[in-house]
Amino acid sequence: MQSIICVTGLVLLYFLLISSGLLIEKKLHQTYRLEQLVFVLKRDIKRIFRTLISKVRDRYVFDLAFYDEIRGLVKEYANLQFHIQVGQYFYDLRKERTPFVGIEFFPLNSNNDDDYMQLTNIIIVKFKTYLDASGLIWKNFAYYSKGKDFIRILVFYQEYPEDEKGFMARYKFVLRMNRKGDYGMIEDEQLNDEINNIK
């Protein structure tokens, strides 16, 4: 008798939890049909459990001296009446977040594409040297793009295994744009070999 009461109680509790979840989802998504609400509730429950069991990983923070060294490299190419921005960011694409160091500055009028390619090469060498000195073994690549009145150099890197999908997707995209002439990219032979081996 007690087992029947326990089972009935569990079924009622399960029914109440599902009903409450669907009511909350209906409040959040008023135009959704029942099938859509069930799908959204299921997705949210998965996210909750995934978040509960996953560890929060601290991201590496570059020291300010590194940023100052990058600014020192850029000074020769930049209009010094404006600030040279250097920082650590994430490129968000769907579920993937790919970390990168971004450098943005107003250029001197006398600079050309060869100058920006040379600067991008110097920055990626500096980045790799920094990684080596810090004992960090990360895949990375760099490229520059030109805006109306600014230059942006981005150094993407793969810090954790979960960064790989977004990192490789970004590399392939920039590689395609580089071949069209939209970006100035320092190609990485190891990454190119890795892409070819995946195919």
Side-chain angles (χ1 to χ4, degrees):
M1 187 71 174
Q2 285 183 338
S3 61
I4 293 173
I5 294 171
C6 282
V7 170
T8 307
L10 286 173
V11 169
L12 281 173
L13 179 64
Y14 179 76
F15 179 75
L16 283 172
L17 287 172
I18 295 297
S19 300
S20 301
L22 288 172
L23 286 172
I24 291 168
E25 294 294 354
K26 185 64 178 173
K27 274 273 197 208
L28 296 171
H29 311 284
Q30 294 177 2
T31 59
Y32 282 21
R33 296 186 321 267
L34 181 62
E35 296 85 13
Q36 292 171 308
L37 291 173
V38 170
F39 176 76
V40 170
L41 177 62
K42 189 173 144 186
R43 183 194 64 199
D44 289 345
I45 289 171
K46 282 182 184 175
R47 280 184 183 164
I48 289 167
F49 281 112
R50 209 174 321 145
T51 304
L52 286 173
I53 62 171
S54 66
K55 293 180 186 175
V56 175
R57 288 191 169 186
D58 290 332
R59 290 284 181 172
Y60 183 85
V61 178
F62 293 91
D63 56 57
L64 296 176
F66 172 69
Y67 292 151
D68 287 340
E69 287 177 28
I70 294 292
R71 284 188 190 93
L73 296 172
V74 173
K75 272 184 182 178
E76 182 183 334
Y77 302 85
N79 182 336
L80 296 180
Q81 293 179 14
F82 301 96
H83 182 66
I84 300 167
Q85 293 181 355
V86 182
Q88 190 172 10
Y89 308 97
F90 287 95
Y91 181 80
D92 290 305
L93 179 65
R94 295 182 207 103
K95 294 179 184 176
E96 286 83 36
R97 297 186 79 213
T98 310
F100 70 91
V101 172
I103 302 112
E104 187 172 293
F105 62 95
F106 288 88
L108 291 171
N109 292 333
S110 58
N111 294 335
N112 60 39
D113 286 341
D114 289 338
D115 292 331
Y116 302 132
M117 187 59 93
Q118 180 183 0
L119 177 60
T120 304
N121 194 39
I122 291 168
I123 287 173
I124 194 67
V125 168
K126 173 55 105 178
F127 186 79
K128 288 175 187 285
T129 304
Y130 178 89
L131 292 183
D132 287 343
S134 303
L136 302 169
I137 304 167
W138 297 343
K139 293 177 185 172
N140 54 77
F141 71 92
Y143 71 91
Y144 78 87
S145 62
K146 292 192 289 188
K148 185 180 175 186
D149 53 5
F150 65 88
I151 299 295
R152 185 176 289 145
I153 298 174
L154 305 180
V155 182
F156 281 87
Y157 57 92
Q158 179 191 332
E159 184 175 358
Y160 292 122
E162 57 265 29
D163 298 334
E164 183 171 20
K165 190 175 177 186
F167 174 82
M168 291 305 284
R170 190 68 192 155
Y171 183 75
K172 288 176 193 176
F173 172 79
V174 174
L175 197 59
R176 283 194 307 273
M177 294 298 104
N178 187 50
R179 295 198 171 131
K180 289 180 182 177
D182 293 345
Y183 292 157
M185 180 186 189
I186 307 296
E187 286 196 40
D188 186 306
E189 292 304 319
Q190 283 183 310
L191 290 176
N192 289 347
D193 290 344
E194 197 170 316
I195 289 170
N196 291 332
N197 288 335
I198 290 170
K199 292 177 185 176

